Amino acid sequence: MHMRVQDVMATDVASVRADTPFRDIAEVLIARAVSAVPVVDGDGRVLGVVSEADLLRKEEFREQYYREGYRPPFRAWLRDRLGQESGARAKATGETAAELMTSPAVTVTAGTTTVAAARLMDEHGVKRLPVVDAEGRLRGVVSCHDLLKTFVRADGEIEREVRVEILGRSLWVDTSRAGVHVHQGVVTLTGRVDRHSDARIAVQMTRRVSGVVDVVDHLEWEEDDSPAGKLP
């Protein structure tokens, strides 16, 4: 029921080679209005990702490398205190994508769910993920903006999925007794089902449908088969 990365990803994406110069990388980022770009080898396999932040290391360490009296910002000082400045210094002197990129890249496949992709972005603090095939070759890019598409599905489309896929096929519920109403992504379930457990499962599965913002449960049931309902 979850949407997949292939449903929302961009396939017309820019990439650079390991030997692409600093200036050319910056021009690609500006021309494409993106914050990062994959670095690929001659076979299109993703080697890493170079971002705006990687390019801006030079600015942070301008004092050390250009002697202009520039004072590094607090984040640079903090990295130094945490013992991470050596990596940042290396990127500050980088001239090519291979020297500037973050590697290995965090990637997903086209079949990855949008939920899993969103979790990866959150875990790694990135806004874009290269999409690769089984051989690691670049097939597209999925961004935070792309993932927002899962929440703008038409209400009618969501309603059909809940009614047909969940109530009709997964639970084998008589849909004539159960009602589904969707407004701006909020699903309201009404009517009656055979068992209390059916109602609980219907609500849980509906919450997992792509585009569902919330579920309002007004379902009733004929038989209370819950542990509490079976107590004397």
Side-chain angles (χ1 to χ4, degrees):
M1 289 179 292
H2 280 306
M3 291 185 73
R4 305 285 172 176
V5 166
Q6 63 193 10
D7 298 321
V8 297
M9 72 182 192
T11 55
D12 179 21
V13 298
S15 63
V16 297
R17 299 288 289 272
D19 59 354
T20 302
F22 180 103
R23 184 180 180 86
D24 290 350
I25 299 170
E27 289 178 349
V28 170
L29 295 178
I30 294 171
R32 289 299 190 106
V34 294
S35 59
V37 65
V39 182
V40 300
D41 65 14
D43 295 320
R45 293 184 178 87
V46 177
L47 303 175
V49 173
V50 62
S51 67
E52 291 173 329
D54 295 326
L55 300 187
L56 290 173
R57 298 300 186 206
K58 286 186 180 295
E59 184 69 12
E60 290 186 8
F61 291 91
R62 183 188 296 269
E63 180 183 29
Q64 291 93 324
Y65 295 104
Y66 297 104
R67 303 299 179 186
E68 295 181 8
Y70 180 81
R71 182 177 180 182
F74 176 75
R75 61 182 179 276
W77 174 86
L78 183 60
R79 274 199 301 271
D80 183 30
R81 298 289 294 178
L82 295 176
Q84 300 173 352
E85 188 177 350
S86 58
R89 284 177 178 270
K91 289 191 177 184
T93 60
E95 297 295 341
T96 65
E99 298 167 334
L100 294 161
M101 70 183 183
T102 299
S103 181
V106 181
T107 63
V108 292
T109 64
T112 303
T113 65
T114 53
V115 172
R119 287 175 177 168
L120 272 177
M121 288 182 184
D122 183 58
E123 290 172 7
H124 294 275
V126 296
K127 297 181 179 180
R128 297 166 61 84
L129 296 173
V131 183
V132 299
D133 62 14
E135 303 300 323
R137 292 185 291 263
L138 183 65
R139 289 293 176 262
V141 168
V142 63
S143 67
C144 290
H145 178 77
D146 294 327
L147 296 182
L148 288 176
K149 296 175 184 176
T150 63
F151 291 101
V152 294
R153 294 180 70 191
D155 288 342
E157 184 180 344
I158 296 172
E159 180 178 333
R160 284 191 296 273
E161 182 170 345
V162 174
R163 185 180 299 280
V164 176
E165 299 296 335
I166 296 179
L167 299 182
R169 294 180 182 173
S170 298
L171 296 179
W172 293 90
V173 170
D174 181 0
T175 56
S176 65
R177 296 194 303 157
V180 181
H181 176 70
V182 184
H183 179 63
Q184 294 186 346
V186 177
V187 180
T188 301
L189 299 176
T190 60
R192 299 184 72 84
V193 293
D194 292 335
R195 294 175 296 273
H196 188 186
S197 59
D198 290 336
R200 293 201 313 271
I201 294 172
V203 172
Q204 292 169 359
M205 295 183 71
T206 300
R207 291 189 189 280
R208 298 179 59 190
V209 171
S210 295
V212 170
V213 176
D214 197 7
V215 178
V216 179
D217 177 16
H218 289 324
L219 284 171
E220 298 179 347
W221 50 88
E222 301 290 348
E223 176 190 348
D224 189 354
D225 61 343
S226 65
K230 293 182 178 180
L231 292 176

